[in-house]
């Protein structure tokens, strides 16, 4: 699974739109909309389950309403390392570039855009996408990075996988980690169908 998204029709449609159009603006804006939802949900599932306080912190125009501060909070909670943090922030800045410049292109020579693209490094020293739930690499090879758009997409997918792995690696609404065995028991189809979960 290279698109670690939620099982929702809107998410399936977003990925389909990204793949079908190939439009650089759609790739950047819709892609990071998926990332923003994943970051927000990851925070909601790591924080105490108090909807009013969460909404007052995480909704648009609230203290953590923008993507950048949410990424920083997850980093401080050790959801991921500095390399992932830098890449997620880079993805967000590339999205902003496409959202605010009518002439935006992955071939742009804009200094801020190029600096953001240099932050997309999750693909380095990897040949395959990690399993989206646990363990090491999965069976899916990473696409050849033939251009900046592909680099963006590969790093977006790797970022979504890192967020999915953090969500499943903790008991919901807590910072209590699960063991690798507990994760496998919860998310292996045969364990779920026989009721062998913890």
């Amino acid at each position: 699974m290279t698109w670690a998204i939620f099982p929702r029709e809107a998410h399936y449609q977003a990925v389909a739109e990204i793949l079908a159009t190939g439009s650089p603006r759609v790739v950047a804006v819709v892609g990071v909309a998926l990332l923003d939802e994943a970051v927000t949900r990851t925070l909601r599932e790591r924080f105490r389950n108090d909807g009013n306080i969460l909404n007052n912190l995480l909704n648009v125009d609230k203290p953590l309403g923008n993507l950048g501060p949410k990424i920083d909070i997850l980093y401080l909670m050790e959801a991921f390392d500095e390399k992932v943090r830098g890449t997620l922030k880079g993805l967000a800045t590339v999205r902003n570039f496409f959202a605010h410049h009518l002439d935006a292109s992955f071939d742009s020579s804009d200094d801020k855009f190029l600096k953001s693209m240099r932050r997309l490094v999750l693909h380095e020293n990897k040949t395959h996408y990690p399993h989206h739930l646990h363990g090491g690499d999965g069976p899916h090879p990473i696409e050849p990075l033939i251009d900046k758009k592909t680099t963006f997409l590969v790093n977006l997918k790797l970022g979504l996988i890192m967020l999915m792995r953090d969500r499943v690696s903790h008991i919901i609404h807590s910072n209590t980690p699960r063991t690798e065995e507990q994760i496998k028991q919860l998310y292996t189809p045969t364990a779920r169908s026989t009721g062998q979960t913890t």
Side-chain angles (χ1 to χ4, degrees), residues 23-191:
S23 158
R25 193 174 310 278
V26 169
V27 167
V29 175
V30 175
V32 176
L34 284 170
L35 179 68
D36 198 345
E37 280 200 35
V39 166
T40 302
R41 181 164 172 178
T42 304
L43 271 175
R44 285 183 178 275
E45 291 188 9
R46 289 287 296 277
F47 285 155
R48 182 187 301 268
N49 190 18
D50 187 318
N52 288 332
I53 293 176
L54 288 172
N55 290 339
N56 285 332
L57 282 174
L58 299 173
N59 286 353
V60 175
D61 294 329
K62 300 299 182 183
L64 299 177
N66 292 325
L67 182 55
K70 292 180 210 176
I71 292 168
D72 289 340
I73 293 292
L74 282 172
Y75 167 74
L76 291 173
M77 295 173 71
E78 299 185 12
F80 40 72
D81 62 19
E82 177 57 39
K83 185 176 180 179
V84 175
R85 176 184 171 270
T87 295
L88 298 183
K89 300 270 267 193
L91 290 165
T93 306
V94 169
R95 183 267 315 264
N96 291 344
F97 177 74
F98 275 91
H100 298 294
H101 294 85
L102 291 176
D103 61 345
S105 161
F106 278 106
D107 295 323
S108 174
S109 59
D110 179 86
D111 287 340
K112 190 172 181 182
F113 168 75
L114 293 174
K115 182 179 178 184
S116 299
M117 286 300 301
R118 285 193 293 273
R119 296 181 81 178
L120 310 186
V121 296
L122 294 183
H123 64 278
E124 291 178 354
N125 302 315
K126 290 188 182 299
T127 59
H128 288 73
Y129 287 98
H131 189 280
H132 63 289
L133 298 175
H134 53 73
D137 288 344
H140 304 289
I142 291 175
E143 301 86 343
L145 302 182
I146 57 173
D147 54 25
K148 289 185 181 81
K149 182 168 84 170
T150 307
T151 301
F152 178 90
L153 280 169
V154 166
N155 278 271
L156 172 65
K157 292 192 281 185
L158 289 165
L160 291 170
I161 290 170
M162 296 299 110
L163 291 164
M164 175 82 68
R165 289 180 73 147
D166 181 73
R167 283 192 305 278
V168 302
S169 70
H170 291 83
I171 295 172
I172 193 166
H173 301 302
S174 78
N175 290 306
T176 306
R178 290 185 171 120
T179 67
E180 188 84 359
E181 188 56 38
Q182 287 172 322
I183 296 167
K184 287 179 181 177
Q185 286 179 349
L186 278 171
Y187 297 104
T188 302
T190 54

